Amino acid sequence: MPQSRRGAGPVPVNRLYPLTVFFAADGVLFASWVVRVPEIKNQVDASATALGLALLCMTFSSAVSMYFAGGLCERFGTRRLLVASFPAVCACLVLPAFARTVVELGGILLLFGAIYGVLLVALNSAAVEVETATGRAIMSPLHGLWSVGGLIGAVIGGLLAAHLGTFAHLGLISVAGLAVTAGFAAPMLRAGTANAVAKAGAHEGKPADGRRTPVGMAVVLLGVVALCTAYGEGAVGDWGALHLREELGAAAGVASYGFGVYSVAIAAGRLTGGKLIMRLGETTVLTGGAVLAAVGILVTAWAGSLPLAFVGLLAVGLGLANMFPVAIAKAGAIGGSRGVGLASTIGNTGMLAGPPIIGFLTDQIGLPAALSTVALLALVAGGLGLLLRARAAGPAGRPEVRPEPADVP
């Protein structure tokens, strides 16, 4: 698979810090919304089904906007779109606090999701550009920072829940997000100007002659890789703790610790994933992670004891950690911001479909067998990674770049 983003000429590392701030801040924003969902459910007097439909509005609109966001990045510039969409997301963050009915909440979440989808594509497209300009594998660490931001947002939300209402809490986080925009918008845009020299190698959706980069089958297959990975992340996130409680008899607190182990493993795997990718290559990390995730979920699903299940969750988290970032980075390397948008759209359907499919299968074949489908899709993702590398190594492509250890930052 083409690996054009390495070696386009290094840019000083201090040019990268604005993007790391926006990734981490976005994690805080998203977690702050998530921890308030129970209060908002009571606020609009929604049943579980009605709340699920309202949340589906956000997922649907974000998937649609991701598809079109790549074109917006081409037209206005990735970093400009990032700087414009981030404060818009901050403003939308407080809107659910005003909802009084499920219908109102659904409409608000349609708007929220549409803007949030644009932000996600802009963030990931900017990361692809930085990878090209610096020759560093930074997509996984940036996703790790997003996870760290999510943890910080959840902790802050837990501390504030007993003292502030939903509007005050989300309003405070929104103002903090606007402050981040005010403080880091200019450095973000300056960093984009500094990277302009590398633009011919770092496509923003266009090759050097100005024509649009065609988004072909390779990007679609990378979207399927992202889908398979997101399916696993959604399934384990929503059903892992329940499995520990119902199948292994864990107490509620112990079950939550299991999810904590899984979450920390993903964050740690992504934060260290950049150096791992630079040493081993993207395809090796992707396929190795797929095998590790498959083994881990099978151990978790069929374990006869809690300690063994925890080991399995650790393996699942480490295995899945870098698969989604690698798929999105490769899609961006091939198709620019349009590649990021298309792969993100396809991948997002996996996050959407995973939990309900696991629920349906649980009623038919039991939760352990249902969770085992995560292993199947992880192996499909790994197989697609190998297939794409083989295609790229043929006469029409070029082999994956694997820097020497001395080049690792």
Side-chain angles (χ1 to χ4, degrees):
M1 171 176 316
Q3 299 296 311
S4 58
R5 24 187 231 294
R6 305 279 192 261
V11 170
V13 177
N14 59 14
R15 295 284 188 182
L16 311 184
Y17 79 90
L19 188 57
T20 68
V21 172
F22 278 104
F23 261 91
D26 180 50
V28 174
L29 291 177
F30 188 76
S32 299
W33 145 248
V34 168
V35 299
R36 283 293 176 170
V37 168
E39 285 79 7
I40 293 171
K41 176 180 181 295
N42 294 331
Q43 173 184 302
V44 299
D45 193 25
S47 65
T49 299
L51 178 65
L53 291 174
L55 295 175
L56 185 61
C57 290
M58 182 175 180
T59 305
F60 173 77
S61 62
S62 64
V64 172
S65 68
M66 283 177 186
Y67 180 78
F68 294 102
L72 294 176
C73 287
E74 281 187 4
R75 182 171 182 179
F76 299 108
T78 296
R79 291 167 184 268
R80 290 191 186 95
L81 193 64
L82 193 164
V83 169
S85 60
F86 191 85
V89 168
C90 293
C92 286
L93 183 67
V94 300
L95 295 182
F98 294 101
R100 291 296 175 265
T101 68
V102 175
V103 174
E104 289 178 2
L105 180 61
I108 288 170
L109 293 183
L110 275 174
L111 175 64
F112 191 7
I115 298 175
Y116 193 66
V118 172
L119 173 62
L120 290 181
V121 172
L123 281 169
N124 284 302
S125 296
V128 170
E129 293 168 12
V130 171
E131 285 201 344
T132 308
T134 64
R136 297 167 183 265
I138 53 90
M139 181 71 82
S140 285
L142 286 174
H143 278 246
L145 286 174
W146 189 94
S147 299
V148 172
L151 177 60
I152 293 173
V155 171
I156 292 174
L159 293 175
L160 295 181
H163 306 286
L164 295 178
T166 299
F167 174 75
H169 171 209
L170 296 182
L172 180 64
I173 298 299
S174 177
V175 169
L178 293 174
V180 167
T181 306
F184 292 92
M188 171 64 70
L189 295 174
R190 283 199 300 271
T193 301
N195 290 343
V197 176
K199 218 176 250 189
H203 30 158
E204 290 186 327
K206 300 177 183 179
D209 61 5
R211 293 179 294 103
R212 252 179 213 174
T213 300
V215 178
M217 182 56 64
V219 172
V220 173
L221 293 178
L222 285 165
V224 175
V225 172
L227 182 154
C228 293
T229 307
Y231 174 92
E233 291 185 27
V236 176
D238 284 12
W239 290 92
L242 185 65
H243 169 68
L244 296 180
R245 292 193 67 181
E246 293 193 349
E247 302 294 331
L248 297 176
V254 174
S256 67
Y257 293 151
F259 178 73
V261 167
Y262 164 75
S263 300
V264 169
I266 282 190
R270 286 176 173 169
L271 289 172
T272 58
K275 290 188 176 182
L276 191 64
I277 289 167
M278 294 294 286
R279 290 186 182 278
L280 302 178
E282 290 171 314
T283 301
T284 300
V285 171
L286 173 61
T287 56
V291 173
L292 181 60
V295 172
I297 194 62
L298 291 175
V299 169
T300 300
W302 301 101
S305 67
L306 282 172
L308 189 58
F310 272 47
V311 171
L313 286 171
L314 178 66
V316 174
L318 291 174
L320 292 176
N322 294 300
M323 293 174 65
F324 190 93
V326 165
I328 298 301
K330 281 178 171 285
I334 297 171
S337 54
R338 287 180 179 271
V340 172
L342 178 58
S344 298
T345 300
I346 298 172
N348 196 54
T349 62
M351 186 67 73
L352 171 65
I357 288 177
I358 294 295
F360 172 78
L361 292 176
T362 297
D363 288 338
Q364 307 302 315
I365 58 178
L367 186 51
L371 286 174
S372 298
T373 60
V374 173
L376 177 61
L377 290 187
L379 294 176
V380 168
L384 287 175
L386 292 174
L387 173 64
L388 288 166
R389 182 170 67 176
R391 282 184 54 183
R398 65 183 172 186
E400 177 175 299
V401 173
R402 183 178 302 169
E404 295 298 322
D407 295 332
V408 178

